Amino acid sequence: MGRGSPLDAKLREQIIQQFKNNVSQRTIAKNLGISPSTIHNIIKRFRESGEISARKGQGRKPTLDARDLRSLRQHCMKNRHGWIKDITTWAREHFGKPLSVNTVRRCLCKCKLRLYHAKRKPCIDNVQKRRRLLWARAHLGWTDAKWRRVLWSDAEATKDLENFDKGSHDEFKRYEMMKEHERRERLKSMNEEDRMKEEQHYEEMKKKHADHPKVNHPGSEDQLKEVWQETDGLDPDDFDPKTFFKIHDSNGDGFFDESELEALFTKELEKVYNSENEEDDMVEMEEERLRMREHVMNEVDTNKDRLVSLNEFMAATKKEDFLEKEEWETLDQNPPYTEEELQEFEQQLANEENDINKKSADLQKRREELERKEEELNAQKLGLQQAVEEMERLKAQSSNAEVKQPRAAVAESDVPGNSQPQPPGHQQQDVPVPGHS
């Protein structure tokens, strides 16, 4: 049988005190409720060494020491989403010890780490990340008072998302107009020959981009069957809408959300856009994806909650529009702006440029005025410094003059032969000279 925990110091002192009082070991064991062998060992150690403390090294040694625990903690902090089985496998290989899952659990508690079940949530793709970033930037300047006026509800959230989609369309429209405006400005700066070459190259790129396979209507039977065949690798003759829905409901929540719907249009978009082609713009591809998703939502999402349930999807497959055979009109056939809107945009840019130039001119005038005032202040400062120096010089000269004047008076009174008239009543005294009688 293995040893238990050693007795505490107070209990050992009681045992030794009763032993010194000539109490028998059996009586001590009976009084304290401790086994006679334990009493015997404690008294034996006291007789041999005179100590009552437990021997060092008693008890089972920990499986992992402090250094091992630090390594385990660092590994868990780097792999925060790791499973306990994976952590146990790593610990066995790293420490070279036969560790069990329960041992690793206890060690994690010593490291002050807690195990938990990760909450299931759908992953977000790059498109969603970009949209969330744009939404966050659009609301970055909101004050606390404005946020407090927001009513957080499903209807309000849906309205915000619709406004966000509208903002995305407006942003894309401005992007396209800016791109066309810059192209026309480049043409203006070219000579006739270069302009002709550039126009010819532009038309060739437009024709090359428009030359693509048929783009099926999003949400139609042909489009879904193509995904069924190309992506899922299934026979199009065996197409089943319910099975299709369950296959592409990636998070298994029973709904098609916006990201799951947009994933269905990838094959159609790849027919038109390729990142390696000069004529294809990936920003236009994302706008095309958004247009496809909005079209399907308008046709299928009957309760307007921006989610497509299985019942809504099955009901849409029974409509006549599901058998739509017409080709989807891409952005080439539906430009996002008219020539009048482009001219208005260019006029707006010109006005903004004029405002910027005017502000720049005003700032330049202010700068020149400040520089002029700075020169005047520097001139005044220099004049004051010169005046102070002149005052210091005059002060020094007057001090020197006052010092020299008394010395000159004393020297004149000592000069021999000075025949200045004496004051009335003055009597001159003879001063004896040594060596004369």
Side-chain angles (χ1 to χ4, degrees), residues 172-431:
F172 173 75
K173 182 178 179 180
R174 181 179 177 83
Y175 167 80
E176 288 291 309
M177 289 191 296
M178 179 63 73
K179 187 169 66 173
E180 178 64 18
H181 170 70
E182 292 176 351
R183 188 186 73 85
R184 294 185 180 184
E185 290 297 319
R186 286 197 304 271
L187 291 176
K188 292 179 181 179
S189 62
M190 296 179 181
N191 55 38
E192 188 65 26
E193 183 179 357
D194 292 340
R195 190 182 302 111
M196 293 290 292
K197 291 181 180 180
E198 183 65 23
E199 288 285 1
Q200 184 179 359
H201 177 71
Y202 177 72
E203 294 297 331
E204 289 177 357
M205 290 297 101
K206 285 182 63 177
K207 291 179 181 179
K208 189 176 180 181
H209 176 70
D211 185 15
H212 55 75
K214 175 187 176 182
V215 180
N216 295 315
H217 216 74
S220 64
E221 183 181 25
D222 292 341
Q223 190 261 321
L224 299 183
K225 280 187 176 182
E226 187 171 357
V227 176
W228 175 275
Q229 181 180 5
E230 299 294 335
T231 305
D232 304 332
L234 300 175
D235 189 353
D237 296 334
D238 298 333
F239 175 75
D240 179 59
K242 187 174 183 180
T243 304
F244 180 90
F245 185 91
K246 292 183 177 181
I247 290 175
H248 293 277
D249 181 17
S250 57
N251 56 4
D253 60 352
F255 295 92
F256 273 166
D257 57 20
E258 295 180 353
S259 62
E260 290 169 340
L261 271 179
E262 291 178 353
L264 301 178
F265 311 139
T266 302
K267 282 293 178 182
E268 301 301 323
L269 294 171
E270 288 177 352
K271 297 177 182 178
V272 186
Y273 299 96
N274 188 346
S275 59
E276 298 180 357
N277 295 338
E278 179 187 358
E279 68 275 7
D280 297 336
D281 190 345
M282 294 298 103
V283 178
E284 295 179 358
M285 185 186 74
E286 296 304 325
E287 175 67 14
E288 197 75 68
R289 191 193 302 272
L290 178 59
R291 291 178 63 243
M292 290 181 174
R293 189 251 296 169
E294 289 180 339
H295 172 76
V296 174
M297 280 291 187
N298 292 332
E299 296 293 330
V300 181
D301 184 21
T302 56
N303 58 0
K304 305 303 178 182
D305 61 349
R306 300 181 73 88
L307 294 172
V308 177
S309 64
L310 177 60
N311 293 332
E312 290 174 335
F313 182 77
M314 295 300 296
T317 58
K318 298 176 182 178
K319 295 181 180 179
E320 295 181 358
D321 296 339
F322 184 66
L323 303 177
E324 181 70 50
K325 299 295 182 180
E326 294 183 2
E327 183 177 1
W328 171 256
E329 294 184 356
T330 59
L331 289 171
D332 300 333
Q333 300 162 309
N334 290 298
Y337 60 89
T338 62
E339 185 64 28
E340 291 76 10
E341 290 175 335
L342 179 59
Q343 294 178 0
E344 183 179 353
F345 175 75
E346 290 180 338
Q347 183 62 39
Q348 181 182 356
L349 290 179
N351 295 336
E352 292 177 357
E353 184 178 0
N354 292 333
D355 293 340
I356 293 174
N357 293 335
K358 184 177 179 180
K359 291 180 180 179
S360 178
D362 293 340
L363 292 174
Q364 183 64 25
K365 290 181 180 179
R366 291 182 183 180
R367 180 180 178 181
E368 294 175 355
E369 182 68 19
L370 291 175
E371 291 177 352
R372 185 182 62 79
K373 290 182 178 179
E374 184 179 5
E375 292 177 357
E376 293 178 356
L377 291 175
N378 291 334
Q380 293 178 4
K381 182 179 178 181
L382 181 61
L384 290 174
Q385 289 179 351
Q386 293 176 352
V388 170
E389 292 175 357
E390 182 66 19
M391 292 177 63
E392 293 291 337
R393 187 179 63 80
L394 294 175
K395 185 177 180 182
Q397 289 179 356
S398 62
S399 299
N400 295 334
E402 291 175 358
V403 171
K404 291 180 179 180
Q405 185 175 2
R407 291 180 182 177
V410 173
E412 290 176 357
S413 63
D414 294 340
V415 175
N418 187 8
S419 59
Q420 290 183 353
Q422 300 297 332
H426 177 75
Q427 296 180 359
Q428 185 175 1
Q429 296 181 358
D430 296 333
V431 180

